[in-house]
PDB file of all heavy atoms in Angstrom:
ATOM      1  N   GLY A   1     -32.965  35.632 -32.537  1.00 97.00           N
ATOM      2  CA  GLY A   1     -33.081  36.683 -31.525  1.00 97.00           C
ATOM      3  C   GLY A   1     -31.871  36.818 -30.637  1.00 97.00           C
ATOM      4  O   GLY A   1     -31.244  35.829 -30.234  1.00 97.00           O
ATOM      5  N   GLY A   2     -31.529  38.056 -30.300  1.00 97.00           N
ATOM      6  CA  GLY A   2     -30.454  38.332 -29.365  1.00 97.00           C
ATOM      7  C   GLY A   2     -30.850  37.980 -27.943  1.00 97.00           C
ATOM      8  O   GLY A   2     -31.904  37.389 -27.701  1.00 97.00           O
ATOM      9  N   GLY A   3     -30.016  38.345 -26.996  1.00 97.00           N
ATOM     10  CA  GLY A   3     -30.213  37.914 -25.622  1.00 97.00           C
ATOM     11  C   GLY A   3     -31.193  38.752 -24.823  1.00 97.00           C
ATOM     12  O   GLY A   3     -31.389  39.940 -25.076  1.00 97.00           O
ATOM     13  N   ALA A   4     -31.812  38.107 -23.839  1.00 97.00           N
ATOM     14  CA  ALA A   4     -32.586  38.807 -22.816  1.00 97.00           C
ATOM     15  C   ALA A   4     -31.664  39.014 -21.626  1.00 97.00           C
ATOM     16  O   ALA A   4     -31.007  38.074 -21.177  1.00 97.00           O
ATOM     17  CB  ALA A   4     -33.795  37.984 -22.400  1.00 97.00           C
ATOM     18  N   GLN A   5     -31.601  40.230 -21.108  1.00 97.00           N
ATOM     19  CA  GLN A   5     -30.738  40.478 -19.954  1.00 97.00           C
ATOM     20  C   GLN A   5     -31.125  39.581 -18.789  1.00 97.00           C
ATOM     21  O   GLN A   5     -30.273  39.019 -18.108  1.00 97.00           O
ATOM     22  CB  GLN A   5     -30.801  41.964 -19.566  1.00 97.00           C
ATOM     23  CG  GLN A   5     -30.137  42.875 -20.587  1.00 97.00           C
ATOM     24  CD  GLN A   5     -30.249  44.347 -20.223  1.00 97.00           C
ATOM     25  OE1 GLN A   5     -31.291  44.817 -19.792  1.00 97.00           O
ATOM     26  NE2 GLN A   5     -29.162  45.083 -20.401  1.00 97.00           N
ATOM     27  N   VAL A   6     -32.435  39.438 -18.570  1.00 97.00           N
ATOM     28  CA  VAL A   6     -32.956  38.514 -17.556  1.00 97.00           C
ATOM     29  C   VAL A   6     -34.134  37.777 -18.180  1.00 97.00           C
ATOM     30  O   VAL A   6     -35.044  38.406 -18.725  1.00 97.00           O
ATOM     31  CB  VAL A   6     -33.426  39.244 -16.286  1.00 97.00           C
ATOM     32  CG1 VAL A   6     -33.846  38.237 -15.222  1.00 97.00           C
ATOM     33  CG2 VAL A   6     -32.346  40.170 -15.749  1.00 97.00           C
ATOM     34  N   PHE A   7     -34.119  36.451 -18.101  1.00 98.00           N
ATOM     35  CA  PHE A   7     -35.192  35.646 -18.681  1.00 98.00           C
ATOM     36  C   PHE A   7     -35.735  34.724 -17.594  1.00 98.00           C
ATOM     37  O   PHE A   7     -34.973  34.001 -16.940  1.00 98.00           O
ATOM     38  CB  PHE A   7     -34.675  34.808 -19.852  1.00 98.00           C
ATOM     39  CG  PHE A   7     -35.735  33.950 -20.495  1.00 98.00           C
ATOM     40  CD1 PHE A   7     -36.587  34.496 -21.435  1.00 98.00           C
ATOM     41  CD2 PHE A   7     -35.870  32.611 -20.159  1.00 98.00           C
ATOM     42  CE1 PHE A   7     -37.576  33.712 -22.030  1.00 98.00           C
ATOM     43  CE2 PHE A   7     -36.850  31.829 -20.747  1.00 98.00           C
ATOM     44  CZ  PHE A   7     -37.704  32.378 -21.695  1.00 98.00           C
ATOM     45  N   ALA A   8     -37.041  34.755 -17.372  1.00 97.00           N
ATOM     46  CA  ALA A   8     -37.630  33.989 -16.279  1.00 97.00           C
ATOM     47  C   ALA A   8     -38.895  33.265 -16.715  1.00 97.00           C
ATOM     48  O   ALA A   8     -39.646  33.747 -17.567  1.00 97.00           O
ATOM     49  CB  ALA A   8     -37.961  34.917 -15.113  1.00 97.00           C
ATOM     50  N   THR A   9     -39.117  32.100 -16.109  1.00 97.00           N
ATOM     51  CA  THR A   9     -40.302  31.294 -16.408  1.00 97.00           C
ATOM     52  C   THR A   9     -40.990  30.916 -15.091  1.00 97.00           C
ATOM     53  O   THR A   9     -40.837  29.791 -14.597  1.00 97.00           O
ATOM     54  CB  THR A   9     -39.928  30.016 -17.182  1.00 97.00           C
ATOM     55  OG1 THR A   9     -38.898  29.318 -16.445  1.00 97.00           O
ATOM     56  CG2 THR A   9     -39.412  30.344 -18.570  1.00 97.00           C
ATOM     57  N   PRO A  10     -41.722  31.836 -14.493  1.00 97.00           N
ATOM     58  CA  PRO A  10     -42.388  31.559 -13.212  1.00 97.00           C
ATOM     59  C   PRO A  10     -43.391  30.421 -13.345  1.00 97.00           C
ATOM     60  O   PRO A  10     -44.071  30.288 -14.361  1.00 97.00           O
ATOM     61  CB  PRO A  10     -43.073  32.879 -12.882  1.00 97.00           C
ATOM     62  CG  PRO A  10     -43.287  33.538 -14.213  1.00 97.00           C
ATOM     63  CD  PRO A  10     -42.082  33.172 -15.024  1.00 97.00           C
ATOM     64  N   ALA A  11     -43.482  29.613 -12.277  1.00 96.00           N
ATOM     65  CA  ALA A  11     -44.392  28.471 -12.278  1.00 96.00           C
ATOM     66  C   ALA A  11     -45.647  28.717 -11.461  1.00 96.00           C
ATOM     67  O   ALA A  11     -46.467  27.813 -11.308  1.00 96.00           O
ATOM     68  CB  ALA A  11     -43.663  27.236 -11.765  1.00 96.00           C
ATOM     69  N   SER A  12     -45.792  29.916 -10.921  1.00 96.00           N
ATOM     70  CA  SER A  12     -46.973  30.251 -10.125  1.00 96.00           C
ATOM     71  C   SER A  12     -47.164  31.758 -10.133  1.00 96.00           C
ATOM     72  O   SER A  12     -46.251  32.513 -10.492  1.00 96.00           O
ATOM     73  CB  SER A  12     -46.803  29.773  -8.682  1.00 96.00           C
ATOM     74  OG  SER A  12     -45.777  30.512  -8.037  1.00 96.00           O
ATOM     75  N   GLU A  13     -48.341  32.207  -9.734  1.00 96.00           N
ATOM     76  CA  GLU A  13     -48.584  33.643  -9.630  1.00 96.00           C
ATOM     77  C   GLU A  13     -47.701  34.261  -8.555  1.00 96.00           C
ATOM     78  O   GLU A  13     -47.293  35.419  -8.674  1.00 96.00           O
ATOM     79  CB  GLU A  13     -50.064  33.909  -9.340  1.00 96.00           C
ATOM     80  CG  GLU A  13     -50.966  33.599 -10.531  1.00 96.00           C
ATOM     81  CD  GLU A  13     -52.430  33.903 -10.278  1.00 96.00           C
ATOM     82  OE1 GLU A  13     -52.777  34.212  -9.112  1.00 96.00           O
ATOM     83  OE2 GLU A  13     -53.233  33.835 -11.240  1.00 96.00           O
ATOM     84  N   GLY A  14     -47.364  33.495  -7.527  1.00 96.00           N
ATOM     85  CA  GLY A  14     -46.457  33.992  -6.495  1.00 96.00           C
ATOM     86  C   GLY A  14     -45.077  34.284  -7.045  1.00 96.00           C
ATOM     87  O   GLY A  14     -44.474  35.329  -6.740  1.00 96.00           O
ATOM     88  N   GLU A  15     -44.553  33.364  -7.862  1.00 97.00           N
ATOM     89  CA  GLU A  15     -43.249  33.582  -8.485  1.00 97.00           C
ATOM     90  C   GLU A  15     -43.305  34.747  -9.462  1.00 97.00           C
ATOM     91  O   GLU A  15     -42.350  35.530  -9.573  1.00 97.00           O
ATOM     92  CB  GLU A  15     -42.783  32.312  -9.199  1.00 97.00           C
ATOM     93  CG  GLU A  15     -42.436  31.179  -8.242  1.00 97.00           C
ATOM     94  CD  GLU A  15     -41.924  29.937  -8.957  1.00 97.00           C
ATOM     95  OE1 GLU A  15     -41.711  29.999 -10.184  1.00 97.00           O
ATOM     96  OE2 GLU A  15     -41.732  28.907  -8.276  1.00 97.00           O
ATOM     97  N   LEU A  16     -44.423  34.877 -10.169  1.00 97.00           N
ATOM     98  CA  LEU A  16     -44.605  36.006 -11.083  1.00 97.00           C
ATOM     99  C   LEU A  16     -44.550  37.312 -10.309  1.00 97.00           C
ATOM    100  O   LEU A  16     -43.873  38.274 -10.726  1.00 97.00           O
ATOM    101  CB  LEU A  16     -45.952  35.874 -11.805  1.00 97.00           C
ATOM    102  CG  LEU A  16     -46.387  37.042 -12.693  1.00 97.00           C
ATOM    103  CD1 LEU A  16     -45.426  37.235 -13.851  1.00 97.00           C
ATOM    104  CD2 LEU A  16     -47.815  36.810 -13.216  1.00 97.00           C
ATOM    105  N   GLU A  17     -45.230  37.369  -9.175  1.00 96.00           N
ATOM    106  CA  GLU A  17     -45.244  38.579  -8.356  1.00 96.00           C
ATOM    107  C   GLU A  17     -43.845  38.956  -7.875  1.00 96.00           C
ATOM    108  O   GLU A  17     -43.458  40.129  -7.881  1.00 96.00           O
ATOM    109  CB  GLU A  17     -46.165  38.401  -7.149  1.00 96.00           C
ATOM    110  CG  GLU A  17     -47.633  38.528  -7.475  1.00 96.00           C
ATOM    111  CD  GLU A  17     -47.968  39.832  -8.176  1.00 96.00           C
ATOM    112  OE1 GLU A  17     -47.603  40.908  -7.667  1.00 96.00           O
ATOM    113  OE2 GLU A  17     -48.581  39.772  -9.253  1.00 96.00           O
ATOM    114  N   ALA A  18     -43.074  37.969  -7.445  1.00 96.00           N
ATOM    115  CA  ALA A  18     -41.723  38.240  -6.950  1.00 96.00           C
ATOM    116  C   ALA A  18     -40.861  38.868  -8.034  1.00 96.00           C
ATOM    117  O   ALA A  18     -40.099  39.813  -7.776  1.00 96.00           O
ATOM    118  CB  ALA A  18     -41.091  36.949  -6.437  1.00 96.00           C
ATOM    119  N   LEU A  19     -40.992  38.366  -9.253  1.00 97.00           N
ATOM    120  CA  LEU A  19     -40.235  38.912 -10.381  1.00 97.00           C
ATOM    121  C   LEU A  19     -40.646  40.354 -10.675  1.00 97.00           C
ATOM    122  O   LEU A  19     -39.799  41.239 -10.850  1.00 97.00           O
ATOM    123  CB  LEU A  19     -40.455  38.048 -11.623  1.00 97.00           C
ATOM    124  CG  LEU A  19     -39.806  36.675 -11.630  1.00 97.00           C
ATOM    125  CD1 LEU A  19     -40.476  35.774 -12.668  1.00 97.00           C
ATOM    126  CD2 LEU A  19     -38.307  36.793 -11.931  1.00 97.00           C
ATOM    127  N   LEU A  20     -41.944  40.580 -10.725  1.00 97.00           N
ATOM    128  CA  LEU A  20     -42.445  41.905 -11.063  1.00 97.00           C
ATOM    129  C   LEU A  20     -42.106  42.936  -9.993  1.00 97.00           C
ATOM    130  O   LEU A  20     -41.808  44.093 -10.305  1.00 97.00           O
ATOM    131  CB  LEU A  20     -43.959  41.842 -11.277  1.00 97.00           C
ATOM    132  CG  LEU A  20     -44.418  41.038 -12.502  1.00 97.00           C
ATOM    133  CD1 LEU A  20     -45.926  40.859 -12.491  1.00 97.00           C
ATOM    134  CD2 LEU A  20     -43.973  41.702 -13.798  1.00 97.00           C
ATOM    135  N   GLN A  21     -42.126  42.532  -8.742  1.00 96.00           N
ATOM    136  CA  GLN A  21     -41.787  43.451  -7.665  1.00 96.00           C
ATOM    137  C   GLN A  21     -40.327  43.881  -7.730  1.00 96.00           C
ATOM    138  O   GLN A  21     -40.003  45.061  -7.533  1.00 96.00           O
ATOM    139  CB  GLN A  21     -42.105  42.802  -6.314  1.00 96.00           C
ATOM    140  CG  GLN A  21     -43.593  42.702  -6.020  1.00 96.00           C
ATOM    141  CD  GLN A  21     -43.898  41.885  -4.787  1.00 96.00           C
ATOM    142  OE1 GLN A  21     -43.020  41.616  -3.973  1.00 96.00           O
ATOM    143  NE2 GLN A  21     -45.156  41.474  -4.641  1.00 96.00           N
ATOM    144  N   LYS A  22     -39.448  42.936  -8.031  1.00 96.00           N
ATOM    145  CA  LYS A  22     -38.030  43.276  -8.155  1.00 96.00           C
ATOM    146  C   LYS A  22     -37.789  44.187  -9.367  1.00 96.00           C
ATOM    147  O   LYS A  22     -36.986  45.127  -9.314  1.00 96.00           O
ATOM    148  CB  LYS A  22     -37.189  42.010  -8.265  1.00 96.00           C
ATOM    149  CG  LYS A  22     -37.034  41.265  -6.936  1.00 96.00           C
ATOM    150  CD  LYS A  22     -36.194  40.014  -7.105  1.00 96.00           C
ATOM    151  CE  LYS A  22     -36.034  39.272  -5.786  1.00 96.00           C
ATOM    152  NZ  LYS A  22     -35.123  39.947  -4.847  1.00 96.00           N
ATOM    153  N   ALA A  23     -38.470  43.900 -10.469  1.00 96.00           N
ATOM    154  CA  ALA A  23     -38.327  44.741 -11.660  1.00 96.00           C
ATOM    155  C   ALA A  23     -38.810  46.163 -11.383  1.00 96.00           C
ATOM    156  O   ALA A  23     -38.168  47.144 -11.797  1.00 96.00           O
ATOM    157  CB  ALA A  23     -39.099  44.133 -12.825  1.00 96.00           C
ATOM    158  N   LYS A  24     -39.924  46.270 -10.664  1.00 96.00           N
ATOM    159  CA  LYS A  24     -40.457  47.596 -10.327  1.00 96.00           C
ATOM    160  C   LYS A  24     -39.515  48.348  -9.402  1.00 96.00           C
ATOM    161  O   LYS A  24     -39.262  49.551  -9.586  1.00 96.00           O
ATOM    162  CB  LYS A  24     -41.829  47.450  -9.682  1.00 96.00           C
ATOM    163  CG  LYS A  24     -42.512  48.773  -9.372  1.00 96.00           C
ATOM    164  CD  LYS A  24     -43.905  48.559  -8.805  1.00 96.00           C
ATOM    165  CE  LYS A  24     -44.591  49.896  -8.530  1.00 96.00           C
ATOM    166  NZ  LYS A  24     -45.971  49.697  -7.989  1.00 96.00           N
ATOM    167  N   LEU A  25     -38.962  47.653  -8.420  1.00 96.00           N
ATOM    168  CA  LEU A  25     -38.056  48.268  -7.462  1.00 96.00           C
ATOM    169  C   LEU A  25     -36.832  48.863  -8.147  1.00 96.00           C
ATOM    170  O   LEU A  25     -36.338  49.931  -7.767  1.00 96.00           O
ATOM    171  CB  LEU A  25     -37.627  47.234  -6.422  1.00 96.00           C
ATOM    172  CG  LEU A  25     -36.660  47.711  -5.332  1.00 96.00           C
ATOM    173  CD1 LEU A  25     -37.317  48.789  -4.471  1.00 96.00           C
ATOM    174  CD2 LEU A  25     -36.215  46.535  -4.468  1.00 96.00           C
ATOM    175  N   HIS A  26     -36.363  48.189  -9.203  1.00 96.00           N
ATOM    176  CA  HIS A  26     -35.152  48.633  -9.895  1.00 96.00           C
ATOM    177  C   HIS A  26     -35.452  49.325 -11.227  1.00 96.00           C
ATOM    178  O   HIS A  26     -34.537  49.538 -12.030  1.00 96.00           O
ATOM    179  CB  HIS A  26     -34.217  47.442 -10.107  1.00 96.00           C
ATOM    180  CG  HIS A  26     -33.705  46.863  -8.815  1.00 96.00           C
ATOM    181  ND1 HIS A  26     -32.623  47.385  -8.149  1.00 96.00           N
ATOM    182  CD2 HIS A  26     -34.156  45.827  -8.061  1.00 96.00           C
ATOM    183  CE1 HIS A  26     -32.405  46.683  -7.046  1.00 96.00           C
ATOM    184  NE2 HIS A  26     -33.321  45.740  -6.960  1.00 96.00           N
ATOM    185  N   ASN A  27     -36.746  49.628 -11.452  1.00 96.00           N
ATOM    186  CA  ASN A  27     -37.159  50.393 -12.631  1.00 96.00           C
ATOM    187  C   ASN A  27     -36.723  49.724 -13.937  1.00 96.00           C
ATOM    188  O   ASN A  27     -36.212  50.376 -14.853  1.00 96.00           O
ATOM    189  CB  ASN A  27     -36.602  51.820 -12.565  1.00 96.00           C
ATOM    190  CG  ASN A  27     -37.345  52.767 -13.495  1.00 96.00           C
ATOM    191  OD1 ASN A  27     -38.542  52.583 -13.751  1.00 96.00           O
ATOM    192  ND2 ASN A  27     -36.648  53.755 -14.022  1.00 96.00           N
ATOM    193  N   LEU A  28     -36.940  48.418 -14.017  1.00 97.00           N
ATOM    194  CA  LEU A  28     -36.553  47.658 -15.205  1.00 97.00           C
ATOM    195  C   LEU A  28     -37.754  47.452 -16.130  1.00 97.00           C
ATOM    196  O   LEU A  28     -38.861  47.198 -15.659  1.00 97.00           O
ATOM    197  CB  LEU A  28     -36.007  46.287 -14.805  1.00 97.00           C
ATOM    198  CG  LEU A  28     -34.719  46.270 -13.997  1.00 97.00           C
ATOM    199  CD1 LEU A  28     -34.383  44.840 -13.593  1.00 97.00           C
ATOM    200  CD2 LEU A  28     -33.574  46.867 -14.797  1.00 97.00           C
ATOM    201  N   PRO A  29     -37.543  47.558 -17.425  1.00 96.00           N
ATOM    202  CA  PRO A  29     -38.628  47.243 -18.351  1.00 96.00           C
ATOM    203  C   PRO A  29     -38.951  45.757 -18.291  1.00 96.00           C
ATOM    204  O   PRO A  29     -38.072  44.921 -18.056  1.00 96.00           O
ATOM    205  CB  PRO A  29     -38.056  47.630 -19.726  1.00 96.00           C
ATOM    206  CG  PRO A  29     -36.576  47.544 -19.551  1.00 96.00           C
ATOM    207  CD  PRO A  29     -36.297  47.939 -18.131  1.00 96.00           C
ATOM    208  N   VAL A  30     -40.236  45.425 -18.492  1.00 96.00           N
ATOM    209  CA  VAL A  30     -40.693  44.037 -18.442  1.00 96.00           C
ATOM    210  C   VAL A  30     -41.393  43.685 -19.746  1.00 96.00           C
ATOM    211  O   VAL A  30     -42.271  44.421 -20.215  1.00 96.00           O
ATOM    212  CB  VAL A  30     -41.664  43.797 -17.263  1.00 96.00           C
ATOM    213  CG1 VAL A  30     -42.168  42.358 -17.269  1.00 96.00           C
ATOM    214  CG2 VAL A  30     -40.986  44.129 -15.937  1.00 96.00           C
ATOM    215  N   THR A  31     -41.006  42.558 -20.335  1.00 96.00           N
ATOM    216  CA  THR A  31     -41.638  42.045 -21.543  1.00 96.00           C
ATOM    217  C   THR A  31     -42.265  40.690 -21.221  1.00 96.00           C
ATOM    218  O   THR A  31     -41.601  39.826 -20.651  1.00 96.00           O
ATOM    219  CB  THR A  31     -40.615  41.871 -22.681  1.00 96.00           C
ATOM    220  OG1 THR A  31     -40.008  43.131 -22.956  1.00 96.00           O
ATOM    221  CG2 THR A  31     -41.278  41.353 -23.944  1.00 96.00           C
ATOM    222  N   ILE A  32     -43.525  40.511 -21.588  1.00 95.00           N
ATOM    223  CA  ILE A  32     -44.241  39.267 -21.313  1.00 95.00           C
ATOM    224  C   ILE A  32     -44.411  38.476 -22.608  1.00 95.00           C
ATOM    225  O   ILE A  32     -44.845  39.016 -23.626  1.00 95.00           O
ATOM    226  CB  ILE A  32     -45.625  39.538 -20.699  1.00 95.00           C
ATOM    227  CG1 ILE A  32     -45.504  40.416 -19.454  1.00 95.00           C
ATOM    228  CG2 ILE A  32     -46.329  38.221 -20.382  1.00 95.00           C
ATOM    229  CD1 ILE A  32     -44.738  39.787 -18.316  1.00 95.00           C
ATOM    230  N   LEU A  33     -44.066  37.191 -22.545  1.00 95.00           N
ATOM    231  CA  LEU A  33     -44.209  36.311 -23.696  1.00 95.00           C
ATOM    232  C   LEU A  33     -45.008  35.073 -23.318  1.00 95.00           C
ATOM    233  O   LEU A  33     -45.016  34.655 -22.154  1.00 95.00           O
ATOM    234  CB  LEU A  33     -42.840  35.858 -24.212  1.00 95.00           C
ATOM    235  CG  LEU A  33     -41.865  36.921 -24.704  1.00 95.00           C
ATOM    236  CD1 LEU A  33     -40.558  36.267 -25.099  1.00 95.00           C
ATOM    237  CD2 LEU A  33     -42.457  37.683 -25.880  1.00 95.00           C
ATOM    238  N   GLY A  34     -45.636  34.469 -24.325  1.00 92.00           N
ATOM    239  CA  GLY A  34     -46.212  33.144 -24.169  1.00 92.00           C
ATOM    240  C   GLY A  34     -45.198  32.145 -24.692  1.00 92.00           C
ATOM    241  O   GLY A  34     -44.049  32.100 -24.250  1.00 92.00           O
ATOM    242  N   ASN A  35     -45.609  31.364 -25.691  1.00 92.00           N
ATOM    243  CA  ASN A  35     -44.683  30.404 -26.306  1.00 92.00           C
ATOM    244  C   ASN A  35     -43.823  31.039 -27.379  1.00 92.00           C
ATOM    245  O   ASN A  35     -42.995  30.374 -27.993  1.00 92.00           O
ATOM    246  CB  ASN A  35     -45.463  29.221 -26.899  1.00 92.00           C
ATOM    247  CG  ASN A  35     -44.583  28.038 -27.194  1.00 92.00           C
ATOM    248  OD1 ASN A  35     -43.780  27.632 -26.357  1.00 92.00           O
ATOM    249  ND2 ASN A  35     -44.718  27.469 -28.388  1.00 92.00           N
ATOM    250  N   ALA A  36     -44.011  32.336 -27.622  1.00 93.00           N
ATOM    251  CA  ALA A  36     -43.218  33.094 -28.611  1.00 93.00           C
ATOM    252  C   ALA A  36     -43.274  32.468 -29.998  1.00 93.00           C
ATOM    253  O   ALA A  36     -42.273  32.414 -30.707  1.00 93.00           O
ATOM    254  CB  ALA A  36     -41.770  33.228 -28.134  1.00 93.00           C
ATOM    255  N   SER A  37     -44.468  32.024 -30.388  1.00 91.00           N
ATOM    256  CA  SER A  37     -44.623  31.380 -31.694  1.00 91.00           C
ATOM    257  C   SER A  37     -44.975  32.363 -32.800  1.00 91.00           C
ATOM    258  O   SER A  37     -44.999  31.986 -33.975  1.00 91.00           O
ATOM    259  CB  SER A  37     -45.689  30.287 -31.611  1.00 91.00           C
ATOM    260  OG  SER A  37     -46.928  30.832 -31.199  1.00 91.00           O
ATOM    261  N   ASN A  38     -45.260  33.607 -32.455  1.00 92.00           N
ATOM    262  CA  ASN A  38     -45.504  34.634 -33.483  1.00 92.00           C
ATOM    263  C   ASN A  38     -44.632  35.856 -33.217  1.00 92.00           C
ATOM    264  O   ASN A  38     -45.010  36.976 -33.508  1.00 92.00           O
ATOM    265  CB  ASN A  38     -46.982  35.035 -33.515  1.00 92.00           C
ATOM    266  CG  ASN A  38     -47.378  35.846 -32.281  1.00 92.00           C
ATOM    267  OD1 ASN A  38     -46.870  35.606 -31.195  1.00 92.00           O
ATOM    268  ND2 ASN A  38     -48.267  36.812 -32.470  1.00 92.00           N
ATOM    269  N   ILE A  39     -43.439  35.597 -32.662  1.00 95.00           N
ATOM    270  CA  ILE A  39     -42.541  36.662 -32.225  1.00 95.00           C
ATOM    271  C   ILE A  39     -41.243  36.650 -33.030  1.00 95.00           C
ATOM    272  O   ILE A  39     -40.659  35.593 -33.277  1.00 95.00           O
ATOM    273  CB  ILE A  39     -42.183  36.494 -30.734  1.00 95.00           C
ATOM    274  CG1 ILE A  39     -43.440  36.568 -29.863  1.00 95.00           C
ATOM    275  CG2 ILE A  39     -41.157  37.532 -30.285  1.00 95.00           C
ATOM    276  CD1 ILE A  39     -44.106  37.909 -29.827  1.00 95.00           C
ATOM    277  N   LEU A  40     -40.792  37.836 -33.411  1.00 98.00           N
ATOM    278  CA  LEU A  40     -39.449  38.004 -33.955  1.00 98.00           C
ATOM    279  C   LEU A  40     -38.691  38.932 -33.020  1.00 98.00           C
ATOM    280  O   LEU A  40     -39.091  40.078 -32.818  1.00 98.00           O
ATOM    281  CB  LEU A  40     -39.505  38.619 -35.363  1.00 98.00           C
ATOM    282  CG  LEU A  40     -38.131  38.959 -35.982  1.00 98.00           C
ATOM    283  CD1 LEU A  40     -37.324  37.694 -36.242  1.00 98.00           C
ATOM    284  CD2 LEU A  40     -38.312  39.757 -37.280  1.00 98.00           C
ATOM    285  N   VAL A  41     -37.633  38.420 -32.423  1.00 98.00           N
ATOM    286  CA  VAL A  41     -36.806  39.227 -31.531  1.00 98.00           C
ATOM    287  C   VAL A  41     -35.630  39.781 -32.322  1.00 98.00           C
ATOM    288  O   VAL A  41     -34.908  39.033 -32.982  1.00 98.00           O
ATOM    289  CB  VAL A  41     -36.292  38.400 -30.333  1.00 98.00           C
ATOM    290  CG1 VAL A  41     -35.364  39.237 -29.467  1.00 98.00           C
ATOM    291  CG2 VAL A  41     -37.469  37.897 -29.509  1.00 98.00           C
ATOM    292  N   ARG A  42     -35.429  41.078 -32.253  1.00 98.00           N
ATOM    293  CA  ARG A  42     -34.335  41.715 -32.983  1.00 98.00           C
ATOM    294  C   ARG A  42     -32.979  41.214 -32.493  1.00 98.00           C
ATOM    295  O   ARG A  42     -32.847  40.665 -31.401  1.00 98.00           O
ATOM    296  CB  ARG A  42     -34.423  43.242 -32.836  1.00 98.00           C
ATOM    297  CG  ARG A  42     -35.659  43.858 -33.492  1.00 98.00           C
ATOM    298  CD  ARG A  42     -35.647  45.379 -33.326  1.00 98.00           C
ATOM    299  NE  ARG A  42     -36.854  45.999 -33.820  1.00 98.00           N
ATOM    300  CZ  ARG A  42     -37.044  46.401 -35.082  1.00 98.00           C
ATOM    301  NH1 ARG A  42     -36.072  46.229 -35.979  1.00 98.00           N
ATOM    302  NH2 ARG A  42     -38.169  46.974 -35.447  1.00 98.00           N
TER     303      ARG A  42
END
C-alpha cells in the first residue's frame, strides 16, 4: 500500500473526536480501519 497523507491511532474517544473535528474543519476525507487484515491499499 501507498502512503496515507495523515495516519492516526487514537487511544480514546476524546482523541478520536479531536481528529474528526479537525478533518471536518478542513473538509478532509476520513478513512476508518481496524487491524487492516482484510484490506488492500492501492
Side-chain angles (χ1 to χ4, degrees):
Q5 291 178 317
V6 185
F7 180 82
T9 53
S12 67
E13 290 182 352
E15 291 182 7
L16 174 63
E17 282 305 308
L19 289 161
L20 293 171
Q21 288 172 16
K22 285 180 180 287
K24 184 177 181 179
L25 180 64
H26 295 277
N27 198 30
L28 295 175
V30 178
T31 301
I32 305 296
L33 299 177
N35 196 48
S37 59
N38 71 325
I39 299 293
L40 175 66
V41 176
R42 294 181 185 272

